[in-house]
C-alpha cells in the first residue's frame, strides 16, 4: 500500500505493507513489542523514501557488500559471551561464515590454518566430528566441518579427516529401514541421509557398508540400499516430503531427500 513519500514494492505482498487487519484491544507486553516491530519494519516494506536502504529498479535492497564482508570476518574472531549457547554448533558458525565470504568472492584460504586447528580437536577417534570439543560425533557438524575444510582447501585439510573412521561411523548410523540416524542412538530423518551421502560423495568413501554395519543384518550391502524406499515413505498426501515417515511435509526436508537421490544417480533415473 503506497503512502506519502513511498511507492509500493513489487516484491512485497500488499498484506505486508499495512498494519495487521485484526487487532486485539487488550494491550500486553507482547502486543506492544509487536507494534514496535511493525512500526520499525513498515518503512522498509512500503518503500518509504525515509528508509535508509537503497533499492534497485525491482525494489530489492542493494547489498552493502563491504559492510557484510567486514561483519563476516569479525564473526571468525572472538564472539560475545551470548554465543556460548552455540557451543554445540561451532562447525556451523564456521561453515556459514566461510560460505558467505566465498559467495562474496573473498579468499577464505587465509583461514586454513585456523580451521584445521579448530576442527582437529572436534574429530573423534571413532569417526566423525562433534559440535564442539569433547562432544559425540553427529552428522550435522560433521557435514559442516568437512565442507568448511573443503572450502579452505589444502592437503593439510584433507589429511586431517580420518576417512576410514568416518566410513565406519557412518556404517553405524545407517539403519535397517534404509535411512540414517544423525548420531549413534539419535533421531532418524532425511537430514541424516543427505549429510551422510554428501560426505560419502565428497570424500570418495566406499559405497559398500563396513563389515560390522548393523544394517547388513537385513541384507544391505551398500549405503544406498533401501534409501529411495525410505524417502518414498516420507512423502505425504500433500506431495511434499517430511523429515521422517508419518510427519508433516517441509520444504527443507524435500530438498534433503531430492538432493540425496541426485547424489545416488542421475535425477531422471533415480527420481521417477
Amino acid at each position: 500500500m503506497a503512502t506519502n513519500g513511498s511507492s509500493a514494492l513489487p516484491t512485497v505482498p500488499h498484506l505486508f505493507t499495512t498494519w495487521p487487519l485484526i487487532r486485539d484491544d487488550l494491550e500486553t507486553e507482547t502486543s506492544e513489542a509487536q507494534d514496535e516491530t511493525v512500526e520499525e519494519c513498515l518503512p522498509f516494506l512500503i518503500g518509504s523514501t525515509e528508509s535508509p536502504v537503497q533499492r534497485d529498479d525491482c525494489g530489492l535492497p542493494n547489498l552493502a557488500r563491504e559492510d557484510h564482508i567486514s561483519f563476516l570476518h569479525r564473526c571468525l574472531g572472538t564472539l560475545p559471551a551470548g554465543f556460548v549457547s552455540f557451543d554445540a554448533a561451532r562447525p556451523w558458525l564456521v561453515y556459514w561464515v566461510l560460505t558467505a565470504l566465498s559467495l562474496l568472492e573473498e579468499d577464505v584460504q587465509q583461514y586454513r590454518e585456523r580451521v584445521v586447528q579448530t576442527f582437529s580437536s572436534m574429530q573423534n577417534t571413532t569417526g566423525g566430528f562433534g559440535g564442539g570439543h569433547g562432544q559425540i560425533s553427529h552428522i550435522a557438524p560433521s557435514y559442516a566441518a568437512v565442507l568448511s575444510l573443503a572450502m579452505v582447501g589444502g592437503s593439510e585439510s584433507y589429511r586431517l579427516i580420518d576417512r576410514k573412521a568416518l566410513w565406519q561411523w557412518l556404517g553405524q548410523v545407517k539403519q535397517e529401514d534404509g535411512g540414517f540416524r544423525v548420531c549413534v542412538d539419535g533421531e532418524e530423518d532425511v537430514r541424516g541421509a543427505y549429510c551422510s551421502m554428501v560426505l560419502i560423495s565428497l570424500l570418495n568413501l566406499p559405497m559398500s557398508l563396513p563389515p560390522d554395519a548393523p544394517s547388513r543384518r537385513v541384507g544391505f550391502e551398500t549405503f544406498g540400499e533401501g534409501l529411495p524406499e525410505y524417502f518414498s515413505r516420507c512423502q505425504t498426501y500433500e506431495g511434499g516430503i517430511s523429515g521422517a515417515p508419518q510427519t508433516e511435509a517441509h520444504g527443507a526436508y524435500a530438498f534433503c531427500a531430492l538432493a540425496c537421490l541426485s547424489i545416488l544417480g542421475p535425477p531422471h533415473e533415480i527420481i521417477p
Side-chain angles (χ1 to χ4, degrees):
M1 179 178 181
T3 60
N4 292 335
S6 67
S7 59
L9 299 174
T11 55
V12 179
H14 170 71
L15 179 64
F16 300 138
T17 62
T18 64
W19 282 83
L21 300 179
I22 301 176
R23 295 173 59 81
D24 196 325
D25 292 334
L26 177 64
E27 291 188 3
T28 65
E29 182 178 349
T30 301
S31 67
E32 291 175 356
Q34 179 183 5
D35 288 347
E36 291 175 3
T37 302
V38 172
E39 188 172 357
E40 186 173 338
C41 293
L42 269 182
F44 297 94
L45 296 172
I46 65 178
S48 172
T49 54
E50 299 176 358
S51 170
V53 177
Q54 296 181 345
R55 299 177 182 271
D56 60 22
D57 295 337
C58 297
L60 299 174
N62 294 323
L63 179 66
R65 180 188 178 90
E66 296 305 319
D67 289 340
H68 277 288
I69 290 174
S70 177
F71 167 76
L72 291 166
H73 282 300
R74 291 198 304 273
C75 286
L76 290 175
T78 302
L79 297 174
F83 278 85
V84 70
S85 61
F86 281 83
D87 183 61
R90 294 180 65 185
W92 280 108
L93 294 176
V94 176
Y95 170 69
W96 288 328
V97 173
L98 292 179
T99 299
L101 287 172
S102 297
L103 289 172
L104 292 170
E105 300 179 338
E106 284 288 291
D107 180 16
V108 297
Q109 293 184 4
Q110 60 182 294
Y111 291 109
R112 180 184 300 158
E113 183 178 351
R114 289 178 55 194
V115 169
V116 170
Q117 182 179 11
T118 296
F119 291 143
S120 62
S121 60
M122 297 184 190
Q123 184 171 214
N124 292 304
T125 57
T126 52
F129 292 81
H133 305 303
Q135 299 177 20
I136 66 170
S137 295
H138 191 288
I139 195 62
S142 295
Y143 171 95
V146 170
L147 267 66
S148 296
L149 289 166
M151 277 189 281
V152 297
S155 57
E156 56 267 51
S157 297
Y158 190 73
R159 286 197 302 267
L160 169 66
I161 304 168
D162 189 336
R163 296 171 62 249
K164 183 177 181 180
L166 177 60
W167 173 69
Q168 292 173 328
W169 178 74
L170 289 172
Q172 295 301 308
V173 296
K174 170 70 176 179
Q175 298 301 293
E176 296 179 6
D177 62 357
F180 287 79
R181 292 186 184 274
V182 295
C183 61
V184 175
D185 296 329
E187 68 269 30
E188 179 185 3
D189 57 42
V190 298
R191 296 174 305 153
Y194 168 67
C195 292
S196 296
M197 293 309 299
V198 167
L199 295 179
I200 291 170
S201 176
L202 186 63
L203 297 173
N204 196 28
L205 300 179
M207 276 295 291
S208 58
L209 288 164
D212 61 345
S215 58
R216 281 189 174 273
R217 292 195 295 259
V218 296
F220 289 161
E221 296 182 356
T222 70
F223 284 102
E225 286 184 83
L227 194 51
E229 293 78 10
Y230 173 77
F231 288 143
S232 70
R233 294 193 296 275
C234 293
Q235 188 168 23
T236 73
Y237 70 93
E238 307 162 285
I241 298 176
S242 59
Q246 306 301 317
T247 57
E248 183 181 15
H250 191 287
Y253 295 137
F255 166 83
C256 288
L258 295 175
C260 187
L261 289 171
S262 297
I263 293 173
L264 287 174
H268 69 278
E269 296 178 5
I270 299 296
I271 306 173

